[in-house]
Amino acid sequence: MTEIHVTNPATGEIIASLPVDNPETVSQKARYARDAQKIWAHTPLSERLRLMQVFRLKLTEQQEALARLLSEEVGKPIRQSRNELNGFLQRFDYFQDQITAVLAEEEVYTELGLSETITQEPLGLVANISAWNYPWLVGCNVFIPALLTGNTVLYKPSEFSSLTGLAMARLFQEAGFPEHVFEPVIGGRETGEALLEEDLDGLFFTGSYGTGTAIATQLAGRLLRVGMELGGKDPLYICEDVDIAATAAAAADGAFYNNGQSCCAVERIYVHKQIYQAFVEAFVENVKNFVVGDPLAETTYIGALTRGQAAISTLRAQVKDACAKGARLLCGGEHLMREGAFFAPTVLADTNHGMVLMREESFGPVIGIQPVYQDEEAVTLMNDTPYGLTASVYTPDRARARKILSQMQTGTVYWNCCDRVSPHLPWSGRGHSGLGATLSKLGIQAFVQPKAWHWRG
Ligand code: NAD
């Protein structure tokens, strides 16, 4: 494969053809980025911060065009593309604010004639293999702190968001970053595999569990820093004491925002039996009101499925399996008969854990709802998954929520909210959901290595 075709998933139209990096060009980029790192590591932090501010300015000047490009490339509704870029800026600002303190030399011990200090040094050359569902947000988690801490980055965007990846590289160039400090690598699986063959000091991956394990297999025997943000099957539990209308609206948004293509999208819902029927009705009402259509239209809430037919086949199979095993299909259930890859927002009730829908990541606009009789049952079901990204509970009772959430085997828990990420908090998955953490101070420390200094004299 020498070219990659970028297709608009809402129309099926090819909007660009790009040359793909092969092992030779990947090696050349890795060499350039390795050389550039030696200089970048010694560029004063004040200069790195200054360049970042120019990058920020360039981005804000082009924000609307970048949002449109993202919508055209991945099928995301335009308002959600704008939200993503605003979210990028929020995370970006957090890293700028924290970096000086995290990199400051720390004196940890003194005695007569002796001082012990710690400094933080960059890892060196890091690769970032990324996903398409939030290219700006998940990219920001990695390449902004990586660059700020003095690493150079080989950035491989998903083959479904290559134009956005190239736009990021162009912004760094326009901002005046030295050449090869941020080097885009274009292509799919084979290009990713070639990248892993390079002499890297760190590999930061965002994508599916399956690819994560393939990467771990390829890296076996090599000692380099690895971070992985992988998939989820995130549960939400609704207790009987909630405001049903408000909770149904929040849960529907948590499940269907970005067409359900969020790592922390609500993927399964458990509802206390006492309010089950009323909740399901209110939930379906919300879902039926979602506007599906042209990602560039201001009113659209559900856009096109980025992965096209492959995504439709997965969703269709999950719906078929659930219906065959006794689930009630309350709305949706099929792709839409129009050009592009659209799937009707789908709600299935009376689900159980014998159904694929409740066990494997859907990553699309399909949700299963299951009744539960008590909190203990909800806790058991919520933990019945190899994934461990997020879990949420809705109840006005904080103590009850704490008891439930403290039993979750997940990196993030939510009380009366869901599907949200904060730059101040570590973003980490357990089990099949990942390794290490991004965001927060931990997400800066992920890109440095400590040096211990013993000063006598
Ligand atoms: P994917 O695993 O298909 O691809 C991710 C990246 O890996 C792409 O750039 C792809 O080209 C590359 N790749 C594929 N095979 C490779 C290989 N063998 N070696 C090296 N690189 C390879 O995932 P996707 O479809 O892009 O993203 C969706 C997945 O990402 C979902 O599972 C979602 O939950 C997860 N995700 C997780 C987070 C998080 O923060 N935990 C965030 C976003 C997405």
Side-chain angles (χ1 to χ4, degrees), residues 62-362:
Q62 301 172 34
Q63 203 164 337
E64 183 61 17
L66 294 167
R68 288 184 74 84
L69 177 69
L70 181 60
S71 288
E72 282 166 2
E73 189 175 26
V74 304
K76 191 187 293 266
I78 185 69
R79 283 182 300 146
Q80 296 176 18
S81 292
R82 290 184 194 127
N83 289 347
E84 182 172 344
L85 280 151
N86 286 328
F88 174 93
L89 291 173
Q90 200 194 2
R91 293 183 191 190
F92 179 96
D93 291 345
Y94 171 82
F95 288 131
Q96 311 299 299
D97 290 347
Q98 298 296 323
I99 191 74
T100 305
V102 175
L103 292 187
E105 180 165 0
E106 190 187 359
E107 185 171 71
V108 289
Y109 182 74
T110 52
E111 62 177 44
L112 197 61
L114 177 75
S115 157
E116 295 174 358
T117 65
I118 305 170
T119 58
Q120 304 295 341
E121 297 184 353
L123 299 176
L125 172 62
V126 304
N128 178 198
I129 299 182
S130 201
W132 48 263
N133 61 329
Y134 286 100
W136 285 98
L137 292 180
V138 298
C140 185
N141 293 0
V142 174
F143 60 67
I144 296 299
L147 291 171
L148 277 173
T149 48
N151 302 280
T152 51
V153 177
L154 292 165
Y155 174 68
K156 197 196 86 56
S158 163
E159 55 274 42
F160 296 103
S161 55
S162 304
L163 294 177
T164 293
L166 289 171
M168 292 165 179
R170 179 176 47 73
L171 285 176
F172 281 117
Q173 198 181 20
E174 287 174 12
F177 275 69
E179 261 195 309
H180 312 302
V181 159
F182 180 89
E183 191 70 71
V185 173
I186 299 301
R189 179 176 58 78
E190 288 170 16
T191 307
E193 287 169 349
L195 189 47
L196 297 175
E197 289 302 309
E198 295 304 321
D199 175 24
L200 305 169
D201 301 303
L203 180 274
F204 295 85
F205 171 69
T206 308
S208 61
Y209 166 72
T211 306
T213 54
I215 289 175
T217 304
Q218 194 179 335
L219 291 180
R222 286 168 63 185
L223 301 179
L224 72 163
R225 184 81 58 91
V226 174
M228 292 201 179
E229 297 190 331
L230 308 178
K233 190 70 196 168
D234 297 0
L236 183 153
Y237 171 41
I238 292 157
C239 299
E240 75 292 344
D241 48 4
V242 298
D243 171 335
I244 293 178
T247 308
D253 187 47
F256 289 92
Y257 188 85
N258 201 32
N259 223 344
Q261 302 170 124
S262 306
C263 53
C264 54
V266 174
E267 284 253 339
R268 49 201 172 105
I269 300 177
Y270 304 97
V271 184
H272 198 285
K273 184 70 183 161
Q274 276 180 34
I275 59 160
Y276 182 69
Q277 268 326 318
F279 175 85
V280 168
E281 278 165 29
F283 187 88
V284 170
E285 229 14 71
N286 275 280
V287 174
K288 283 184 173 163
N289 285 331
F290 287 150
V291 178
V292 184
D294 178 4
L296 291 176
E298 294 292 331
T299 51
T300 296
Y301 178 80
I302 302 267
L305 285 167
T306 313
R307 290 176 60 250
Q309 285 308 317
I312 288 175
S313 301
T314 302
L315 299 175
R316 199 186 270 150
Q318 289 195 355
V319 172
K320 195 174 163 202
D321 172 76
C323 290
K325 291 173 179 163
R328 272 189 300 138
L329 178 63
L330 300 179
C331 62
E334 253 308 338
H335 72 288
L336 297 181
M337 300 302 278
R338 51 176 288 171
E339 64 176 8
F342 290 86
F343 202 89
T346 299
V347 181
L348 292 138
D350 305 350
T351 54
N352 62 57
H353 277 215
M355 299 169 185
V356 178
L357 170 70
M358 299 303 272
R359 311 268 311 155
E360 289 177 17
E361 195 174 32
S362 305

